[in-house]
Amino acid sequence: MSAALTFAALAGFGFAALRMLDGVDASARLWELSPGWLAAALAAWSLSVVVQALRLRALVPVRPSPPVAGFVAVVLGSNAVHLALPGPIAELGAAWALRQRYGVPMPSALAAALLARVLALAIFGVVTLAMWPLVATRVPAGLSAALGPLALVTGLAGFGLLGVLARPVQVVVLAARLAERLGGVPVLARHAARFGDRLRWWARCFAAVGGVPMGRWLQAAGLSVVNLAVLTGSALLTLRALGIDADPLGTTFMQALTAVASVAGLLVPGGLGAVEVLVVLLFPLYAVGSTADAVVAALLLRAVHLTTLVFGIPAMSWLVATLPEDAHARTLAMSDALKADLDRVESG
């Protein structure tokens, strides 16, 4: 149901935008798609799920590692859950499924999922900054004035996230201590205490991932780069399905920057909106065409993404099937499992 509503919203807003731009004729591109190129784009985006699964598997400190197929199902299912629900609910369900199916401690799975996301954002941010000098000359002056600072901030944030990944426990503990100090301020006391408790909880989770050797981190970083290449390939194939010949370099920059923007998916189901705006704004950087062409491209790129998420619905059913039937029992079971696993890690 959520998938159908998302597709309907995407189509409605997209065609409304085309009409406002007097570009209804450009929507004819959607009815002249090349099915072969579109199928190749879907296959390429689906391959990125396997890469994400391998990255998550590399960061879960459990030996021997569970089968890759299990992680693929978890990534597919959690991605489908993100289509309907914001926040870390999908990661929590995925961690529970890994615990129930393969005995992976929930703190390890949760922390690994979060750190894998942060690592990908860091890599994409650094790539955005590194590529900006190569593509800056292709952007109109007015857009360049805005994109330059954005690329700089994105890149610096990427390097900052890499620093956080180097010492995640220490960073979270430091933030918890800061929250404790803010607790002395009457106006902030209540919120600071709650924030501090959550940070200490995450510090315990991150400590459970402390056994991951550097080689595994490098493997996960390399897989993030591979994932960017796969997603860029899918974007190029999608645009080719529309009859648009895009520039690979500019498309890579667009894909890296929109991947960073997709962090909005943590707050908005499917991350709708933020990515589409950037795809349209960056269109002159990677392709030639009108604003209406840019909107059509954004529509189809999002449709390819959503279609691959829909493929994850059977896997989502598997994730849900592992949970207790009653909502209250589900919450208590996952909470108790987290506490038990954390206590076991700290006592061991």
Side-chain angles (χ1 to χ4, degrees):
M1 183 63 179
S2 297
L5 291 175
T6 302
F7 274 115
L10 175 68
F13 284 121
F15 281 104
L18 286 173
R19 186 172 294 278
M20 291 172 61
L21 293 166
D22 295 326
V24 179
D25 290 341
S27 65
R29 284 183 181 272
L30 292 173
W31 314 119
E32 299 173 356
L33 291 174
S34 167
W37 289 111
L38 187 59
L42 286 168
W45 194 287
S46 300
L47 179 60
S48 74
V49 175
V50 180
V51 179
Q52 294 172 49
L54 290 170
R55 183 179 61 199
L56 176 60
R57 186 171 181 258
L59 294 180
V60 173
V62 176
R63 299 295 175 266
S65 294
V68 175
F71 281 92
V72 170
V74 163
V75 171
L76 273 172
S78 60
N79 285 348
V81 172
H82 274 304
L83 195 62
L85 300 172
I89 298 174
E91 281 75 15
L92 188 59
W96 172 269
L98 286 173
R99 184 182 193 271
Q100 295 297 97
R101 188 72 176 266
Y102 303 113
V104 177
M106 287 186 70
S108 299
L110 263 178
L114 179 62
L115 292 177
R117 184 187 295 274
V118 172
L119 177 61
L121 288 175
I123 296 294
F124 294 160
V126 171
V127 169
T128 299
L129 180 59
M131 292 192 66
W132 173 244
L134 303 176
V135 301
T137 56
R138 310 180 188 187
V139 183
L143 185 57
S144 178
L147 275 181
L150 178 60
L152 178 61
V153 170
T154 301
L156 293 178
F159 281 110
L161 289 175
L162 289 176
V164 170
L165 288 171
R167 294 286 187 273
V169 177
Q170 291 84 343
V171 170
V172 173
V173 169
L174 182 62
R177 290 175 180 171
L178 177 61
E180 289 177 356
R181 290 181 178 274
L182 292 176
V185 181
V187 179
L188 302 176
R190 180 180 177 183
H191 298 289
R194 184 184 305 172
F195 186 59
D197 289 341
R198 291 180 179 176
L199 285 172
R200 281 187 291 272
W201 182 86
W202 274 112
R204 298 173 72 192
C205 286
F206 289 151
V209 192
V212 178
M214 180 56 66
R216 288 276 180 163
W217 281 103
L218 293 176
Q219 179 184 345
L223 287 167
S224 294
V225 175
V226 171
N227 193 40
L228 176 59
V230 170
L231 295 177
T232 299
S234 177
L236 288 169
L237 292 169
T238 302
L239 294 168
R240 187 69 187 86
L242 285 169
I244 298 174
D245 292 319
D247 174 68
L249 199 62
T251 305
T252 302
F253 178 86
M254 179 271 289
Q255 191 62 57
L257 188 56
T258 54
V260 174
S262 67
V263 72
L266 289 173
L267 303 175
V268 180
L272 293 175
V275 172
E276 284 70 28
V277 169
L278 276 176
V279 169
V280 173
L281 288 177
L282 296 175
F283 191 77
L285 186 149
Y286 60 88
V288 177
S290 65
T291 304
D293 291 327
V295 173
V296 172
L299 281 172
L300 191 60
L301 285 167
R302 173 57 77 172
V304 168
H305 178 207
L306 292 179
T307 301
T308 57
L309 290 186
V310 171
F311 291 160
I313 290 178
M316 178 181 66
S317 301
W318 169 66
L319 289 182
V320 173
T322 65
L323 299 176
E325 293 183 3
D326 179 70
H328 182 64
R330 181 187 310 134
T331 303
L332 288 178
M334 289 193 289
S335 176
D336 290 344
L338 271 170
K339 185 178 184 302
D341 285 345
L342 283 168
D343 291 342
R344 188 180 303 111
V345 169
E346 291 185 345
S347 63

